[in-house]
Amino acid sequence: MPSRTTHVRRRRVLFPHTRQCKMSTQLANNAEMANDTHNESLKDEPKIVELSDSDNDNDAARRIDPDSLPPWLHQATLALFHDEIETSTSESRKKTQTDCLPYLTGASLDDFDLNAHGIPRLRRQAHIDFLHATLSTLPAPYAALDASRPWLFYWAMAGLSTLGQDVARYKARLIATVRPLQNSTGGFGGGQGQLSHCACTYATALALACVGGLEIIDRKAMWHWLGTLKHPSGGFLMAAGAEQDIRGAYCALTLLTLLNLPLTLPPDSPSRSAGLQTFTDNLGAWISRCQTPDGGLSASPTNEPHGAYAFCGLACLSLLSAPHTSIPQSLDVPSLTAWLIYTQTAPEGGFAGRTNKLVDACYSHWVGGCFALLQAALPDLPRGHDVWNREALIRYLLACCQAPGKKGGMRDKPSVRADGYHTCYSLAGLSHAVNRYWYDGDGEVEEEGKAGRLTAAFRWRGERAGEGELRRWRVEEGDCVECVHPVFVIPFARVEEARVLFADGGFMDGIEEGMEKLSV
């Protein structure tokens, strides 16, 4: 008996044209026009309401005037999105959307103080208290983070700074805590007696920068240690004998820049035997190989793209040179921009870290922070025009990610508890959304010092968005947070202090002569 052919309805999938897309002002204008057109088309139309399985359904979205909601939360819009193929992932996404919608539409906001637009206000003092508490005695389960102690310090210091708090009072305590983590061979371990690791060293340096304590770092040992992590292919290892990872490249260049270390590789760097002379040799080309066919960036060549790796790659290139030069030289910018845009979820409004994954508040920084860097790489896109939805992200962070009750803190999504990591990066994401950043490209970015130094990152500027913009995004001035440096993710003032502290370079006396002999 012949088999019967079953015809399956297939959804049309559109892929961006990589290497051929053109980004221009029209992209931003089209998004704005589409918003207006959508509002107008829904003005007099009957709303589509999905029937409930329960006669007692108390869906608050139906009780709220649809005109008070943004277009992506209208019932007519929500009815357009249905996943025909049920998987565990689609079920998780559906549950997450179900959890978020009552907060987004105002049905579950009884415990929040609302602004004039019906959006929860930033629970500033509660979050401040929460972050201070993360620097005190922690519960026993936190022992699992013993190898990540510097991150606990950074999340608290950066989060408090973003909330406008002066964390200098923690300087003595922080120095006393992290000094034993610094190894004589350079870098910091995650805990006492542990090997130096690029990520832990990055977190330690940024935490110290927040309190004004960078002077305790042994810069000469750091320079030598980073030289051992430089890989002949152009990238960086995360630690001695560890994986080569785009995070390592970003962390290493952050340290080289903030500490004003020479770009010349130390004489004992293994990469010298492969012909490399500087920390930046082959780096742009290596990052280019991390871009995937769909436009995203992966941890290393041939791996899956991820939002956090996209930020690390863009930030690394922005440290390497002026972003309007370094980013287009190494990446397909239109393809990457499209990939990042598609990670903003609907109807939640936040970002997912990977394709077809769940929204997560931490990606409000890891993905949301990419757009300022991309903006600097797109000179045809004027300042003030966006290719992402700021209002949607603000609503998600303030409505869905603030933990209710007295404890404060911010969370991944409504179904999970608040923690320091998500509090830090949610606040950073809010900063990306309510502030505008740009690269001051006037003049040349020069390498300073005989051995060469990285200076591009010191040309970034930031300011609060205009009053009209904040009103359009339905957020009030009192719910805004401080500007954070788009590359270092700490306050601009702390970055400038680091630049001034190490402006003279230092520690190269006697080394340069040896380097000259080595080159001969």
Side-chain angles (χ1 to χ4, degrees):
M1 181 176 179
S3 60
R4 181 179 179 182
T5 302
T6 302
H7 295 280
V8 179
R9 180 184 176 188
R10 299 182 183 276
R11 290 177 293 172
R12 186 183 181 195
V13 181
L14 299 179
F15 294 93
H17 297 289
T18 59
R19 308 289 175 184
Q20 297 179 359
C21 297
K22 299 294 183 182
M23 298 297 295
S24 66
T25 309
Q26 189 63 38
L27 180 61
N29 291 339
N30 286 347
E32 189 171 338
M33 291 171 59
N35 224 19
D36 295 339
T37 303
H38 185 75
N39 281 329
E40 186 64 27
S41 66
L42 291 176
K43 183 177 180 182
D44 299 317
E45 292 294 322
K47 304 300 183 290
I48 300 174
V49 178
E50 185 176 356
L51 296 179
S52 170
D53 295 331
S54 171
D55 294 335
N56 298 322
D57 182 52
N58 191 29
D59 186 356
R62 298 177 191 149
R63 302 198 308 266
I64 295 177
D65 180 7
D67 292 335
S68 68
L69 296 174
W72 63 91
L73 291 176
H74 285 171
Q75 288 290 347
T77 306
L78 295 176
L80 298 175
F81 299 97
H82 294 283
D83 203 332
E84 298 174 359
I85 302 175
E86 292 292 335
T87 65
S88 58
T89 299
S90 65
E91 291 174 359
S92 296
R93 292 186 66 189
K94 186 181 297 183
K95 180 183 182 303
T96 299
Q97 292 171 1
T98 301
D99 291 342
C100 290
L101 275 174
Y103 292 93
L104 296 170
T105 58
S108 296
L109 299 178
D110 293 342
D111 295 333
F112 293 91
D113 182 21
L114 306 182
N115 67 16
H117 307 285
I119 306 298
R121 299 184 187 279
L122 180 67
R123 303 182 65 228
R124 187 181 303 272
Q125 190 57 52
H127 301 327
I128 290 172
D129 294 342
F130 177 86
L131 288 170
H132 280 306
T134 65
L135 295 171
S136 59
T137 303
L138 298 173
Y142 275 85
L145 294 178
D146 179 62
S148 301
R149 293 174 68 194
W151 284 105
L152 298 175
F153 310 146
Y154 166 69
W155 296 332
M157 300 303 171
L160 288 167
S161 298
T162 306
L163 289 168
Q165 298 296 293
D166 183 1
V167 294
R169 75 187 205 188
Y170 286 110
K171 180 176 180 178
R173 280 182 57 192
L174 181 62
I175 289 176
T177 302
V178 302
R179 195 189 292 273
L181 309 186
Q182 184 170 207
N183 291 304
S184 60
T185 53
F188 291 80
Q192 194 163 351
Q194 298 176 14
L195 296 176
S196 295
H197 192 278
C198 220
C200 294
T201 303
Y202 162 91
T204 302
L206 292 181
L208 287 170
C210 286
V211 301
L214 285 174
E215 68 275 5
I216 74 159
I217 294 179
D218 185 339
R219 294 169 60 239
K220 184 176 180 180
M222 179 76 74
W223 179 61
H224 280 280
W225 175 68
L226 289 174
T228 67
L229 303 184
K230 177 66 176 179
H231 194 274
S233 66
F236 287 83
L237 305 177
M238 292 300 295
E243 73 276 18
Q244 185 181 193
D245 193 313
I246 202 167
R247 295 172 301 157
Y250 166 55
C251 292
L253 259 67
T254 294
L255 295 164
L256 288 166
T257 303
L258 270 185
L259 302 178
N260 196 20
L261 301 179
L263 292 186
T264 303
L265 283 171
D268 55 353
S269 173
S271 288
R272 280 194 166 273
S273 61
L276 275 61
Q277 300 294 318
T278 72
F279 283 103
T280 60
D281 284 351
N282 298 341
L283 180 55
W286 184 84
I287 293 176
S288 180
R289 295 199 298 274
C290 292
Q291 188 164 25
T292 60
D294 55 0
L297 287 175
S298 59
S300 57
T302 74
N303 284 335
E304 180 186 14
H306 191 283
Y309 300 141
F311 176 83
C312 289
L314 286 168
C316 184
L317 291 171
S318 298
L319 289 160
L320 191 60
S321 183
H324 58 267
T325 300
S326 59
I327 293 177
Q329 283 180 347
S330 300
L331 299 175
D332 179 347
V333 176
S335 177
L336 175 57
T337 303
W339 188 88
L340 290 168
I341 290 172
Y342 295 153
T343 63
Q344 189 163 22
T345 63
E348 303 97 310
F351 290 96
R354 290 179 289 164
T355 303
N356 203 35
K357 293 298 182 180
L358 302 181
V359 65
D360 186 328
C362 72
Y363 297 115
S364 62
H365 161 65
W366 293 119
V367 177
C370 289
F371 292 105
L373 308 179
L374 284 173
Q375 177 101 17
L378 296 170
D380 293 336
L381 193 65
R383 192 190 310 173
H385 289 258
D386 298 311
V387 296
W388 61 294
N389 194 323
R390 292 174 184 258
E391 180 189 346
L393 179 60
I394 292 169
R395 181 181 286 260
Y396 177 70
L397 290 173
L398 294 180
C400 294
C401 300
Q402 295 194 93
K406 298 180 180 180
K407 289 186 176 180
M410 301 191 75
R411 54 194 180 181
D412 166 353
K413 54 180 70 69
S415 60
V416 298
R417 293 182 178 180
D419 58 57
Y421 169 80
H422 286 94
T423 301
C424 171
Y425 289 122
S426 293
L427 293 170
L430 184 60
S431 179
H432 298 316
V434 301
N435 299 307
R436 289 202 175 275
Y437 301 92
W438 69 96
Y439 184 79
D440 185 2
D442 295 336
E444 296 292 330
V445 176
E446 299 179 354
E447 293 182 349
E448 298 178 349
K450 294 181 180 180
R453 312 284 169 141
L454 294 173
T455 62
F458 299 116
R459 291 179 173 270
W460 283 93
R461 306 290 182 263
E463 66 181 8
R464 178 81 76 249
E467 182 179 344
E469 290 181 309
L470 295 179
R471 189 183 308 111
R472 188 167 70 249
W473 302 332
R474 311 187 192 203
V475 64
E476 297 178 351
E477 175 66 32
D479 303 320
C480 294
V481 293
E482 301 298 316
C483 289
V484 296
H485 193 287
V487 175
F488 298 118
V489 204
I490 59 175
F492 276 89
R494 304 291 83 79
V495 174
E496 177 61 13
E497 288 175 2
R499 187 194 68 79
V500 172
L501 178 63
F502 302 121
D504 62 349
F507 84 71
M508 286 298 289
D509 294 340
I511 295 180
E512 293 170 359
E513 182 179 351
M515 299 297 293
E516 291 176 0
K517 292 180 179 179
L518 182 65
S519 62
V520 174

